[in-house]
Amino acid sequence: MRLNPSDIVITADDRPGVHRAPRQISAKRQTATAAATAAPARPKAKRRLPRLRLDMTPLQKLAGAGLLVTAVMVSGLALWHSGKPQRLVRDTGMAFLNSTAEAGFQVADITVSGRRRTPAEQLVSALGARYGDPILGVDIAAARARVEALPSVRAAAIERRLPGALHLSIVERQPVALWQTDSSFVLVDRDGHNIPGAIEGFEDLPLVVGDGAPARTDELFALLATEPELAARVKAAVRVGNRRWNIKLDDVEKGLEARLPELDTEAAWHRLAELEKTRALSGKQITMIDLRVPDRMVLKSSREPTAVNTASIAPPTAMARER
């Protein structure tokens, strides 16, 4: 595009070599200029960076929090599996226990009460405490469990007597019978637990024979106790087919054998006690009495067996009335 000379306006101030005359400034503009010059310069405002705003839904916020918790848990598990926290706790605990032992809280005396048959070395081993050990480091519950696991111990209690004494009190299992297996004998208590050790001093206990006999010992002695006089004469009890009992009175080999039923056992035991009181069957060369049938019984003497109706055996007073 070409410019025409008439399009360019040249004023006096624009002419080359001509100085511009001073411009006339109004009084109002002079006042504003003076005030701006006299006033201190105001600091420039800092430029704020734009902020990014994320609008998240509640579900997204929950997912973010879950990721954060998961990351923390993973880090914690990794630290835990490294074993460092456990070692720190163990070392700190051991240092504390050692300091208490140095202060006088250490095992210096161990006493036991209630021991009759249990070997002392078994109790010491089960207790797990040695002289000089920190007494506060003895795990009472674990030691008690180990002592009660011994075959001859029924119950135990452990007392810590500070500063340096441990007292162990035990209740031993009491033998009530000898369990005969083949040609060997083992002591058993009322609950049927085997009690290891020698049988010397317990040879006069009743024998229990047969499979399952020890487990039924409590049941047997509860039955016998209902007739104390007759129970004192029991020398052996044979478990037959793990269903019922044959009882031997007075002598294991030559005594009277009473065959009790599987059902109504207590009633049959009472019948036998009554017959012994009134008829003294064991003193009449009778070797066996079968009480398995409620309304009759079979007697066997050294000569031959005899079937007897129970109605024919009655107390003397009843027999006198019948006459």
Side-chain angles (χ1 to χ4, degrees), residues 294-310:
D295 58 349
R296 65 194 298 266
M297 62 183 177
V298 175
L299 301 178
K300 180 181 179 181
S301 68
S302 56
R303 294 185 296 271
E304 58 182 354
T306 304
V308 181
N309 192 316
T310 55

Side-chain angles (χ1 to χ4, degrees), residues 9-18 20:
V9 178
I10 300 175
T11 63
D13 296 335
D14 296 327
R15 294 174 184 166
V18 179
R20 181 181 299 178

Side-chain angles (χ1 to χ4, degrees), residues 118 123 147-156 169-173:
T118 307
L123 291 176
V147 172
E148 290 183 340
L150 296 176
S152 59
V153 177
R154 182 182 182 89
S169 177
I170 65 173
V171 177
E172 293 183 325
R173 297 188 181 277

Side-chain angles (χ1 to χ4, degrees), residues 95-117:
F96 171 75
L97 291 176
N98 291 334
S99 65
T100 61
E102 293 175 357
F105 293 92
Q106 57 181 271
V107 178
D109 191 20
I110 300 175
T111 56
V112 180
S113 63
R115 186 185 75 87
R116 296 293 182 273
R117 294 173 49 84

Side-chain angles (χ1 to χ4, degrees), residues 107 109-111 127 129 135 138 140 158-160 164-168:
V107 178
D109 191 20
I110 300 175
T111 56
L127 189 60
I135 194 170
V138 178
I140 298 297
I158 302 175
E159 184 180 355
R160 194 174 0 228
L166 287 176
H167 179 70
L168 171 60

